[in-house]
Amino acid sequence: MRVAFKPLTISDSIIRPIAVLTISVGITLLFILLSYPEKNPTLHPNPTGMASGRTRSFILWLHGLGDSGPANEPIKSLFTSPEFNSTKWSFPSAPHNRVTCNYGMVMPSWFDIPEIPVTAHSPNDEASVLKAVKNVHAMIDKEIAAGISPENIFICGFSQGGALTLASVLLYPKTLGGGAVFSGWVPFNHSMIEQFPEDAKKTPFLWSHGISDPTVLFEAGQAGPPFLEKAGVTCEFKAYPGLGHSISNEELKNLESWIKSRLRSSSS
């Protein structure tokens, strides 16, 4: 049986963008914590999730619009396999920016979103997306400089964070371990494919999307694999019947298995 968390939403509706979102995020995290009490981490402003000893892999999680990094830290409690004992986690928070789809309100946002719901044909603000990508690349560069192999670096994100994950991985000059998109979309036009470095195209993707998503429509998710195929990028797409704009336990456990199967021993 699938355990569906309450949504980490872009916004529950255009009319009620902030208050409902804040409440829903709190309910989501409460559910995760109650479901996994023996693994509950202590929340810290800048969590790393590092075990003692050398860090052998790195997972960067990018949250959705209006959310925060530390609020998503309980996600790592689901990764119980010993392979993740030496994994460093990072849950950065987006800067506060004006968001067009929420009437220009200032809120945590990686880049601007012109409209909600997001469809397969929604307009994109590529300039702000590319600006956000540079910040993600700086985070990746820092970990590689610290000694982590690029092939053991995984970028993951939900909703707006999923869209940023896609853009960041496809524009990074090296092959990474993988990119995981949850309820995300393609945040730029097909012409951008020409700018993807050849090594970036070797990074595999996992794409998960709820069929009943009313915020980032399923059609927006379905447009991802053909886009990646055109670019020559491998993508495993998983559709979840009955799932709205949220992350389920099933999705996250699948992510654990997917990353585990791609961890390389070369960094040991």
Side-chain angles (χ1 to χ4, degrees):
M1 183 179 77
R2 183 181 70 250
V3 180
F5 297 154
K6 293 293 184 179
L8 295 171
T9 56
I10 284 183
S11 62
D12 286 74
S13 71
I14 297 178
I15 300 176
R16 302 174 299 165
I18 305 299
V20 176
L21 182 145
T22 303
I23 294 172
S24 66
V25 169
I27 294 174
T28 298
L29 296 177
L30 178 61
F31 189 93
I32 297 174
L33 292 172
L34 291 176
S35 299
Y36 298 88
E38 74 283 3
K39 294 291 183 178
N40 289 347
T42 301
L43 298 184
H44 299 286
N46 296 296
T48 61
M50 292 177 61
S52 59
R54 181 181 178 184
T55 301
R56 298 184 178 182
S57 58
F58 175 68
I59 298 176
L60 175 64
W61 185 274
L62 302 173
H63 65 74
L65 180 68
D67 203 356
S68 73
N72 285 262
E73 185 185 357
I75 288 173
K76 69 184 180 185
S77 68
L78 276 70
F79 288 63
T80 57
S81 297
E83 286 83 358
F84 296 96
N85 289 343
S86 58
T87 294
K88 177 179 179 181
W89 289 78
S90 181
F91 297 87
S93 294
H96 283 69
N97 290 306
R98 295 186 181 279
V99 180
T100 300
C101 70
N102 276 340
Y103 302 105
M105 297 183 69
V106 176
M107 60 193 306
S109 177
W110 301 109
F111 55 86
D112 193 26
I113 301 176
E115 67 178 23
I116 292 290
V118 177
T119 73
H121 305 290
S122 289
N124 296 302
D125 187 333
E126 291 188 355
S128 64
V129 171
L130 294 178
K131 181 179 178 181
V133 164
K134 290 182 179 179
N135 293 331
V136 175
H137 285 181
M139 299 179 205
I140 299 172
D141 290 341
K142 180 180 178 181
E143 301 307 321
I144 293 177
I148 299 180
S149 168
E151 293 186 339
N152 278 340
I153 291 179
F154 297 84
I155 315 301
C156 313
F158 172 73
S159 194
Q160 186 191 42
L164 180 56
T165 291
L166 184 74
S168 299
V169 173
L170 291 176
L171 291 170
Y172 195 67
K174 298 180 180 180
T175 302
L176 301 177
V181 178
F182 294 88
S183 303
W185 69 94
V186 179
F188 38 50
N189 298 321
H190 281 239
S191 60
M192 188 66 68
I193 291 177
E194 299 176 2
Q195 298 185 34
F196 298 162
E198 288 302 313
D199 284 343
K201 297 178 183 179
K202 300 175 185 177
T203 302
F205 276 88
L206 172 66
W207 196 308
S208 304
H209 212 112
I211 293 178
S212 301
D213 193 332
T215 307
V216 179
L217 302 188
F218 185 65
E219 66 174 59
Q222 281 185 306
F227 174 85
L228 291 171
E229 182 179 357
K230 183 177 180 180
V233 179
T234 300
C235 179
E236 179 181 340
F237 185 83
K238 289 186 173 294
Y240 290 82
L243 182 64
H245 195 62
S246 58
I247 303 176
S248 71
N249 172 279
E250 183 181 352
E251 286 179 292
L252 291 174
K253 294 306 291 183
N254 183 57
L255 174 65
E256 178 188 23
S257 298
W258 189 79
I259 292 179
K260 180 180 174 180
S261 68
R262 286 164 176 75
L263 287 172
R264 305 295 181 88
S265 60
S266 59
S267 63
S268 57

